[in-house]
Amino acid sequence: PCKKGSDAMPTPYFEVAHLTKHFSTDESTVAAIQDVSFSLQKGQFLSILGPSGCGKTTMLRIIGGFLSPTSGDVLFNGQRINDVPAYKRKINTVFQRYALFPHLDVYDNIAFGLTLKKEPKDVIEQKVMRMLRLVSLEDYAHRNVTELSGGQQQRIAIARALAMDPDVILFDEPTSALDPEMVGEVLELMKELAHTGITMLVVTHEMGFAREVSNRVIFIDDGKIQEDEPPQELFSNPKHPRLKAFLSKML
């Protein structure tokens, strides 16, 4: 028998609704993003494409809690979280340039957020070592992070984000600061994470990766979503002239 209300659309797991962000200078006001809306269900992998300066990073910083929107909402399980500070959101961000603490070793970098939360030491150790195994760096726990390659540092940054058990993880061009030979190891780790059921939003210029791993791809230009499609459709049949131009340069 059909359950009552089974045809009703489920509440999106994660949603941004009509997000707009203005930056003001003495001379003018610039709209970094304008009326951006999309939603995701749990476990989806969304890639966000667009030229430099189109508003991608601004949007991620609002979602992560590092910037406040001029208008619009960020919603999690139907609850508005605009006023929830970054450290209290179940959303973690992996940045372009790792953002590791150079004075701490690998173990303490991963443990940092757990220590702030006053987790018991044995729980912290279990989580840190589990994360190190996940990113295949278990022998590096007591190395200084400055001794690691760029690819290894980015894997540690991912381990630190995952250690906090986020419900959503944001990646802001996680391979753009890496040497080409190190890009593959980070993308391979992200592919593995995509199969674990964590919800992921990734700003990337890696077109093959976006096409292979994403459930959906959004193209942003001029602060607006110009196309929002499954990857095969977006890459094989781009409709917007700016997306066509963008892909012709990137592919």
Side-chain angles (χ1 to χ4, degrees):
C2 281
K3 291 181 182 174
K4 188 177 178 184
S6 61
D7 291 337
M9 287 291 286
T11 300
Y13 182 65
F14 173 80
E15 186 175 8
V16 299
H18 306 292
L19 276 191
T20 295
K21 179 64 179 177
H22 294 145
F23 291 104
S24 295
T25 65
D26 291 341
E27 291 81 31
S28 63
T29 298
V30 176
I33 54 171
Q34 305 177 64
D35 198 32
V36 167
S37 297
F38 63 87
S39 62
L40 291 174
Q41 295 301 339
K42 186 175 175 65
Q44 281 196 308
F45 188 114
L46 174 72
S47 286
I48 302 163
L49 312 180
S52 296
C54 71
K56 305 182 301 291
T57 294
T58 297
M59 183 177 73
L60 244 56
R61 290 179 66 79
I62 291 171
I63 292 168
F66 303 104
L67 273 179
S68 295
T70 304
S71 61
D73 295 310
V74 181
L75 301 118
F76 191 74
N77 278 330
Q79 300 292 311
R80 182 178 179 275
I81 60 168
N82 290 33
D83 303 320
V84 177
Y87 70 94
K88 287 190 175 177
R89 296 187 186 194
K90 291 286 282 179
I91 298 172
N92 268 35
T93 306
V94 175
F95 299 96
Q96 247 178 40
R97 298 201 170 268
Y98 331 133
L100 298 174
F101 301 110
H103 60 289
L104 300 179
D105 67 12
V106 165
Y107 183 101
D108 287 335
N109 262 281
I110 297 173
F112 185 79
L114 300 169
T115 305
L116 284 184
K117 284 175 68 179
K118 297 186 165 55
E119 295 256 13
K121 277 192 173 178
D122 60 328
V123 172
I124 292 175
E125 181 166 5
Q126 287 170 13
K127 281 191 175 179
V128 171
M129 296 315 293
R130 192 171 86 242
M131 291 304 117
L132 283 170
R133 286 192 294 275
L134 181 71
V135 299
S136 304
L137 290 170
E138 56 266 50
D139 296 333
Y140 289 72
H142 299 295
R143 294 266 191 101
N144 190 286
V145 292
T146 57
E147 298 171 20
L148 306 185
S149 71
Q152 289 168 334
Q153 288 188 52
Q154 193 60 293
R155 280 152 62 196
I156 294 302
I158 292 170
R160 182 178 63 184
L162 290 170
M164 300 300 289
D165 296 321
D167 292 320
V168 177
I169 189 161
L170 313 176
F171 292 85
D172 188 6
E173 298 195 29
T175 59
S176 65
L178 299 178
D179 293 333
E181 66 269 22
M182 295 172 187
V183 169
E185 65 183 72
V186 173
L187 294 182
E188 202 54 46
L189 172 60
M190 291 171 66
K191 284 181 196 174
E192 290 169 19
L193 294 178
H195 297 304
T196 66
I198 192 164
T199 307
M200 298 165 71
L201 284 78
V202 181
V203 170
T204 184
H205 286 303
E206 301 289 340
M207 299 296 112
F209 173 76
R211 186 172 195 154
E212 179 186 347
V213 183
S214 311
N215 303 108
R216 293 225 324 273
V217 181
I218 283 174
F219 174 68
I220 294 181
D221 194 25
D222 220 10
K224 299 173 186 169
I225 293 178
Q226 309 291 358
E227 285 204 37
D228 178 353
E229 299 283 356
Q232 293 306 326
E233 176 67 17
L234 184 134
F235 285 103
S236 303
N237 187 26
K239 298 172 187 69
H240 197 283
R242 290 196 181 181
L243 175 57
K244 290 178 182 177
F246 177 78
L247 291 177
S248 72
K249 291 177 189 167
M250 300 300 293
L251 295 174

